[in-house]
Amino acid sequence: PAFSSMSYTTLTRLREKLLVQSARNAKVEAELRMQLEQMKEDNRRSELLLQKELLGESNTKSLREAELLRHIQESRDDRADVVGRYHSSLLTNPTGNRVSPSYV
């Protein structure tokens, strides 16, 4: 009803304005889509970089943990050897005769 009272010239001008605005909107939408895709790609790259750094830190930590566990095991083995030699020396008297463990 509102358009029926407008002249042909007014309707044509309005249609042209709408076409121009639609073209602008399409251009802006395309630019925004490109920006969105770029942001998504940047985000993916950042995530991959963070995951790579985290993996590196995790590997370093695992290696350090394995080294510490190895050191702990070596210390335990060394201590067991010392304790074993100590007990052996207690069970053997100076002449080389064995003494019963119940007397030690």
Side-chain angles (χ1 to χ4, degrees), residues 41-59:
E41 182 62 29
D42 290 345
N43 190 30
R44 280 191 289 266
R45 285 182 186 156
S46 296
E47 281 186 27
L48 287 173
L49 180 62
L50 288 173
Q51 287 178 355
K52 189 175 181 180
E53 289 177 7
L54 181 60
L55 181 61
E57 290 295 322
S58 180
N59 286 341

Side-chain angles (χ1 to χ4, degrees), residues 83-101:
V83 169
R85 281 184 273 160
Y86 176 73
H87 283 144
S88 290
S89 69
L90 289 178
L91 295 175
T92 307
N93 65 18
T95 59
N97 296 330
R98 305 256 324 141
V99 176
S100 173

Side-chain angles (χ1 to χ4, degrees), residues 8-19:
Y8 175 78
T9 308
T10 305
L11 287 173
T12 304
R13 285 187 199 144
L14 185 59
R15 189 177 303 122
E16 287 173 3
K17 284 182 182 180
L18 289 173
L19 287 172

Side-chain angles (χ1 to χ4, degrees), residues 68-84:
L68 289 173
L69 288 172
R70 227 179 359 264
H71 180 64
I72 289 169
Q73 189 59 46
E74 288 172 359
S75 296
R76 285 179 181 163
D77 292 345
D78 290 345
R79 188 180 71 212
D81 287 345
V82 169
V83 169

Side-chain angles (χ1 to χ4, degrees), residues 28-44:
V28 168
E29 182 181 359
E31 289 175 8
L32 289 173
R33 285 183 190 277
M34 286 174 42
Q35 289 177 3
L36 178 62
E37 288 303 315
Q38 184 63 42
M39 291 172 78
K40 285 180 179 179
E41 182 62 29
D42 290 345
N43 190 30
R44 280 191 289 266

